[in-house]
Amino acid sequence: MANNYEFTPEDLKEIETIKAKFPEVMPATLPTLWVAQRRFGHVEPEVQHLVAETLDLPVSHVHGVATFYTQYYKEKMGKYVLDVCTTTSCQLCGGYDMLHYLENKLGIKAGETTKDGMFSIQSVECLGACGYAPMMQITNDVYVNNLTEEKLDDVIESLKADKMPEFESVGMPQHTERS
Amino acid sequence: MSFDWKSYTPVIIPDIPNLHEIDVYTKNGGYDSLKKVLSNDWDSEKVINEVKAANIRGRGGAGFNAGLKWSFMPKPDGGPRYLACNGDESEPGTFKDRKIFEYNPHLFIEGALIAAYAMQCSAIYVYIRGEYYSWIKMMEKALKDAYDKGFIGKNILGSGFDVEFHVTGGAGAYICGEETSMLESLEGKRGYPRVKPPFPAQKGLWGRPTTINNIETLACVPLVIKNGADWFSGIGAETHPGPVLYGISGHVNRPGVYELPTGMPVLTLIEEVAGGMRNGKKLKGLIPGGSSTPILRGDTLEGVNMDADSLREAGSMMGTAGMIVMDEDTDMVEMLWRISHFYHHESCGQCTPCREGTGWLEKILLKIRNGDGEIRDLELLIDLCSQMEGRTICALADAAAWPVRYTIDRFRDEFEARCKKSTYALA
Ligand SMILES: Cc1cc2nc3c(=O)[nH]c(=O)nc-3n(C[C@H](O)[C@H](O)[C@H](O)COP(=O)(O)O)c2cc1C
Ligand code: SF4
Ligand code: FES
């Protein structure tokens, strides 16, 4: 069966490096799905086939893994996926307000994608940034901390111009105090 | 006795600029502990005994003595043996291990290398949650630098000790923090926890002896080797000693990760260290160690310290020391419903009491939250908890049940009041 998706030679090289970390090929499943998702933006069934073929593993196995883990997109998503944390610490500090603000601003609900394909919004579970609540993550990459409506406005503007926010180092309050 | 926390000098994450760079780390005595144990007079047993005596209690949640855990590894049989480092960090309220990845990755790497030497492991894997993409990159860089300097690989520092060290990422699943689920995920599968026994020390990764430790636990190891077990066990609480990373979040003025001794008074941490309650509000409740640890009422925290014994006496647990602080305006029904949503979402679904139980907990709490609850629903919730606790493959079911049981118990008036408002209340 012809597949519309193909790994680049660089991807294949990276997959070889991944395989070399483990005594078997199966452990390469998760990292290879990552390579695929970073290349194609999602891991639709056809991409899962490609991963299975590349690793010489059963499609059913790759499918099982892809569907177990929430970060793999099983369908096409917006170019920027805004994962707003609404778990406890973020909930306490206004995570839902931030989520609803975004929903109103972009005219979509959590779980949906804007018509122009630019943005998807998701309400997600704790991202391990509880002290910097409320927060969100953009497309499995950069964390944006201590969200406010103004900060969300800025982020959306820069993403519309295809500019990802920079990695934000939050530091240890104990350190900054002394310096 | 009040501890002068301001004069405490952090050792897990010291205030040294660019310490994440290997040259800065080595200039500040980094990798000296590894060199020390690889020199002739330290054998595996001596390292294990020293770490055991230090009583580093696992910082991943369960608080088990690290050295003792290492001693459970069977005698080497010539086949591969593994150390799996748990950087999944998914328990809500917990955000400390990423500080180590970012600010002092080599301390963790050095600790893992010493652990691997002590247990004679042939390879180390560090599993980091997939969302921590930026921190995975930082670890990859740190590991590469350590390889290049000869601290990892073949014949490390001419000692004859060989070990490989790899980093790998998850892809979004809280359950993969549970140690056997993490092993399944490392093996490239869905993260279904394994039935124990066999324990990982007997049959772990690829059926071989494996030890699992949390990142912060391992970061303590070089400090113990450098300063001695007595130094470590002399810090903080006697039965739960050492420096610890407290993650403080919620309604405080200065949330963040703070390194201080264990056994700190809870109220000092909230009122002084974290800058007090936001907007001068009153403290209503505290989840002391990640969302699965039972909530404590704000008016019962006088004299309670952050260590296993003191928290047990108060009716909770140390967990991951991820403290979630709630002020007087917090809606406990809303808060608890969201926690139960989390555990329902994260249940792997293997065990019926957990799969069904977490679903029902969420459903009933949602009903109460929406104003349709009845008083007898509260009994139903407690009854459900009893049917979940201790009856499943892993502890996620307990982690889901405890918040429900204890939040209802300790804030009963609030739950009852919400139910009484319902039109069904008299039915
Ligand atoms: C549902 C569940 C989730 C867990 N999540 C984590 C985690 O994210 N990180 C972690 O270090 N330990 C986690 N643990 C605890 C681990 O199973 C294990 O006890 C720990 O990693 C051992 O390391 P330590 O002894 O150094 O603490 C979790 C346990 C359970 C039951
Ligand atoms: S207790 Fe829950 S999470 Fe743990 S194995 Fe059973 S179903 Fe899965
Ligand atoms: S609760 Fe939002 S990052 Fe932890």
Side-chain angles (χ1 to χ4, degrees):
Chain A
M1 195 181 73
N3 199 315
N4 289 317
Y5 297 99
E6 221 180 305
F7 282 125
T8 66
E10 296 84 74
D11 295 339
L12 292 171
K13 220 176 114 200
E14 192 180 344
I15 292 165
E16 284 312 309
T17 318
I18 291 165
K19 278 158 79 177
K21 291 183 184 182
F22 305 101
E24 296 175 2
V25 69
M26 192 172 277
T29 311
L30 274 80
T32 305
L33 279 164
W34 273 123
V35 173
Q37 180 153 308
R38 295 202 188 280
R39 171 68 55 209
F40 310 115
H42 57 78
V43 293
E44 282 184 346
E46 219 171 326
V47 177
Q48 295 167 22
H49 269 268
L50 174 70
V51 169
E53 235 164 67
T54 310
L55 295 178
D56 200 13
L57 287 169
V59 177
S60 59
H61 163 74
V62 175
H63 178 72
V65 171
T67 49
F68 184 87
Y69 297 92
T70 55
Q71 284 189 287
Y72 296 128
Y73 304 144
K74 272 68 76 177
E75 54 190 73
K76 285 199 183 73
M77 300 288 277
K79 181 161 182 194
Y80 298 106
V81 182
L82 309 174
D83 286 342
V84 184
C85 175
T86 53
T87 311
T88 317
S89 305
C90 289
Q91 174 195 27
L92 293 171
C93 297
Y96 278 102
D97 294 338
M98 293 302 115
L99 178 68
H100 298 144
Y101 181 77
L102 261 186
E103 287 177 332
N104 286 333
K105 188 177 170 76
L106 299 176
I108 51 170
K109 292 270 167 229
E112 296 175 352
T113 301
T114 52
K115 278 208 186 67
D116 61 4
M118 272 297 272
F119 298 104
S120 300
I121 306 178
Q122 303 193 108
S123 162
V124 301
E125 303 304 327
C126 179
L127 291 167
C130 322
Y132 322 114
M135 60 78 62
M136 70 173 180
Q137 179 172 28
I138 305 173
T139 325
N140 294 324
D141 192 347
V142 173
Y143 278 30
V144 190
N145 303 304
N146 301 310
L147 291 176
T148 58
E149 294 182 357
E150 295 71 40
K151 196 158 178 180
L152 280 174
D153 289 341
D154 291 347
V155 170
I156 296 296
E157 276 321 298
S158 68
L159 289 178
K160 278 182 176 162
D162 266 335
K163 234 185 98 217
M164 268 291 238
E166 301 261 313
F167 174 82
E168 212 178 336
S169 188
V170 265
M172 299 270 290
Q174 261 166 314
H175 294 180
T176 36
E177 238 160 67
R178 224 173 294 129
S179 58
Chain B
M1 188 196 73
S2 84
F3 174 78
D4 176 21
W5 63 273
K6 283 191 185 130
S7 68
Y8 175 80
T9 310
V11 287
I12 299 174
I13 306 185
D15 191 4
I16 301 171
N18 301 319
L19 190 58
H20 64 282
E21 288 170 16
I22 195 160
D23 290 334
V24 178
Y25 183 70
T26 48
K27 256 189 219 113
N28 285 280
Y31 289 106
D32 283 359
S33 296
L34 179 67
K35 287 176 191 156
K36 191 166 163 183
V37 302
L38 291 183
S39 72
N40 297 329
D41 45 340
W42 284 76
D43 60 10
S44 152
E45 203 178 312
K46 186 170 170 188
V47 181
I48 292 182
N49 286 337
E50 191 74 15
V51 173
K52 206 192 281 179
N55 194 12
I56 311 175
R57 298 183 56 173
R59 305 297 197 233
F64 197 79
N65 180 313
L68 190 58
K69 190 190 273 191
W70 297 1
S71 72
F72 297 154
M73 286 286 269
K75 284 209 163 25
D77 60 2
R81 298 151 69 84
Y82 301 105
L83 171 66
C85 313
N86 193 341
D88 194 58
E89 185 143 278
S90 307
E91 172 89 348
T94 313
F95 54 107
K96 60 180 182 77
D97 293 335
R98 55 178 271 195
K99 295 291 172 193
I100 298 173
F101 298 142
E102 187 169 345
Y103 296 109
N104 205 359
H106 290 287
L107 184 69
F108 152 67
I109 294 173
E110 186 178 3
L113 289 167
I114 294 168
Y117 171 74
M119 292 181 280
Q120 301 173 54
C121 298
S122 45
I124 306 170
Y125 290 95
V126 46
Y127 182 95
I128 303 179
R129 62 179 299 174
E131 293 88 345
Y132 280 1
Y133 183 60
S134 308
W135 292 272
I136 293 172
K137 295 274 152 217
M138 292 174 199
M139 272 313 298
E140 281 174 350
K141 164 86 171 73
L143 280 178
K144 186 181 176 304
D145 291 345
Y147 261 104
D148 290 347
K149 296 265 179 201
F151 296 125
I152 307 173
K154 293 251 173 296
N155 189 21
I156 297 170
L157 303 171
S159 66
F161 171 57
D162 304 336
V163 75
E164 296 301 314
F165 202 144
H166 302 292
V167 57
T168 185
Y174 162 73
I175 192 57
C176 292
E178 194 280 333
E179 55 184 17
T180 59
S181 167
M182 186 182 82
L183 298 183
E184 289 288 304
S185 187
L186 261 167
E187 290 182 4
K189 304 173 191 156
R190 287 174 286 190
Y192 288 143
R194 297 176 182 173
V195 179
K196 293 188 271 194
F199 290 93
Q202 267 66 49
K203 265 175 178 270
L205 274 175
W206 303 293
R208 297 293 308 167
T210 302
T211 290
I212 297 115
N213 274 127
N214 171 262
I215 304 302
E216 185 186 346
T217 308
L218 291 165
C220 291
V221 170
L223 304 170
V224 167
I225 299 299
K226 181 177 169 206
N227 304 306
D230 291 344
W231 167 84
F232 191 91
S233 62
I235 294 172
E238 202 181 325
T239 56
H240 194 158
V244 68
L245 299 176
Y246 295 101
I248 311 181
S249 67
H251 298 139
V252 290
N253 280 315
R254 217 168 40 220
V257 173
Y258 294 87
E259 183 191 323
L260 287 165
T262 56
M264 284 285 292
V266 165
L267 291 176
T268 307
L269 285 167
I270 296 171
E271 284 161 11
E272 297 179 29
V273 176
M277 299 299 291
R278 265 185 211 177
N279 307 318
K281 296 273 183 188
K282 277 219 253 333
L283 172 63
K284 180 171 180 179
L286 168 75
I287 293 176
S291 64
S292 63
T293 58
I295 190 169
L296 296 168
R297 285 181 69 97
D299 54 15
T300 62
L301 295 177
E302 198 67 54
V304 177
N305 301 331
M306 285 294 287
D307 61 77
D309 289 348
S310 182
L311 285 167
R312 188 184 322 112
E313 217 170 288
S316 192
M317 289 177 292
M318 179 79 163
T320 60
M323 302 165 65
I324 308 176
V325 181
M326 296 168 217
D327 73 15
E328 55 190 304
D329 297 336
T330 306
D331 179 339
M332 288 300 166
V333 178
E334 184 83 15
M335 189 282 296
L336 185 60
W337 157 72
R338 188 60 184 78
I339 286 190
S340 71
H341 171 75
F342 173 82
Y343 288 104
H344 180 212
H345 184 262
E346 302 298 339
S347 166
C348 84
Q350 277 191 109
C351 322
T352 312
C354 176
R355 182 183 62 240
E356 299 295 322
T358 53
W360 279 107
L361 292 180
E362 182 186 1
K363 209 169 181 165
I364 297 166
L365 282 162
L366 184 66
K367 177 180 158 200
I368 297 174
R369 163 193 182 261
N370 291 346
D372 298 329
E374 303 166 66
I375 299 289
R376 66 176 180 201
D377 286 336
L378 300 179
E379 305 330 313
L380 182 58
L381 284 168
I382 302 299
D383 188 44
L384 270 167
C385 292
S386 305
Q387 292 181 48
M388 293 167 69
E389 289 158 357
R391 289 167 188 248
T392 51
I393 294 175
C394 89
L396 185 137
D398 306 79
W402 293 330
V404 175
R405 177 182 291 284
Y406 292 103
T407 310
I408 292 178
D409 181 51
R410 289 168 190 169
F411 294 90
R412 176 106 196 170
D413 43 346
E414 205 171 320
F415 283 84
E416 284 191 359
R418 188 72 71 96
C419 290
K420 279 185 187 142
K421 277 198 197 126
S422 145
T423 44
Y424 305 101
L426 295 174

